Amino acid sequence: MALLLPPPRITAKTSSSAGGLSRMLLRNAGINVRVYFTQAETIETPPVDLQLSTCVMPAQLKRFQLEAAASDNDALWNSPGYEVVPPILDPGVFQFQDGSIRMGQISRAIADPHAKVDPTQSEADMRAQIGKLLPTVANKPGTWHHCLVAFGYNRLPVVGKIPGFEGLYLFSGFTNPLVFVPPLAQRFANWAAGQEDLIIAQLSPIVANC
């Protein structure tokens, strides 16, 4: 005898994990979520003939202050090309196992993910500040790089259901992705499948008035 089962219940769920492009992507769909982004600039060298015994970074990162100030007024982010707060420079140096070095970084809060900056001036500014700490490193040949870094309105990642939009979720705002993405990805998946999670509840997105 055949066993008849009811058809499975299918619920459409979509998660946006577009990093620094999250705000633009959602806003183009008419959704104004309090997630933002910086333009981060660094210099990358090829493998060099010196070995650093430690990484160098400021004891107090200005980037966190920039993120806090830049998220105070959401409306400013709706003016394309507007510089929400002045840029900052956190001089730091990190060497990878292959001997290459990353030094930087400059962070800019401009309401345009495609904003143009002067890479020559940016590189000169970073080298000048790093030269005060490690002049030998600052003089190494390297290439200027630029990327977007997403951040949330309260310096925490933005993870969870977008209010007012059934089946739409956000997974963004990771300023330190190597630390936070792996554990939160697992918690987010379990939560989306129906498991309660107090941490995800605290990271839920907030929709701002357009």
Side-chain angles (χ1 to χ4, degrees):
M1 181 175 65
L3 178 63
L4 299 178
L5 298 176
R9 180 182 178 185
I10 300 176
T11 302
K13 292 183 179 181
T14 301
S15 176
S16 172
S17 304
L21 293 174
S22 296
R23 183 178 179 87
M24 181 185 71
L25 179 66
L26 292 170
R27 186 160 176 78
N28 287 344
I31 306 170
N32 202 56
V33 174
R34 295 194 64 189
V35 61
Y36 311 100
F37 56 90
T38 58
Q39 284 92 350
E41 304 173 49
T42 66
I43 300 169
E44 181 180 10
T45 77
V48 297
D49 57 353
L50 62 84
Q51 180 67 48
L52 299 180
S53 59
T54 186
C55 62
V56 177
M57 62 183 296
Q60 293 185 325
L61 292 174
K62 297 179 183 177
R63 178 166 58 88
F64 295 141
Q65 300 172 20
L66 177 143
E67 292 175 0
S71 59
D72 276 347
N73 190 339
D74 183 85
L76 296 178
W77 286 90
N78 299 330
S79 302
Y82 183 78
E83 188 169 59
V84 181
V85 293
I88 59 92
L89 198 168
D90 283 319
V93 177
F94 182 88
Q95 188 170 36
F96 291 90
Q97 289 186 346
D98 67 354
S100 64
I101 288 177
R102 282 290 181 99
M103 48 182 156
Q105 78 177 37
I106 292 176
S107 297
R108 302 180 190 273
I110 304 174
D112 180 358
H114 306 296
K116 302 296 184 183
V117 299
D118 183 351
T120 301
Q121 185 60 55
S122 292
E123 183 172 342
D125 292 341
M126 285 187 281
R127 289 186 182 277
Q129 290 300 312
I130 293 165
K132 297 177 181 178
L133 304 172
L134 297 171
T136 302
V137 173
N139 293 326
K140 293 294 182 182
T143 304
W144 174 88
H145 287 277
H146 163 273
C147 70
L148 299 179
V149 179
F151 66 94
Y153 61 94
N154 58 358
R155 291 177 55 182
L156 295 175
V158 185
V159 178
K161 183 180 183 299
I162 299 178
F165 298 90
E166 188 63 33
L168 187 57
Y169 301 79
L170 183 60
F171 190 82
S172 186
F174 295 93
T175 56
N176 295 291
L178 294 178
V179 176
F180 294 114
V181 167
L184 277 178
Q186 182 175 0
R187 300 184 75 103
F188 174 62
N190 293 336
W191 173 83
Q195 180 177 312
E196 293 187 9
D197 194 306
L198 295 179
I199 291 180
I200 298 297
Q202 296 178 57
L203 303 179
S204 296
I206 290 181
V207 175
N209 295 325
C210 297

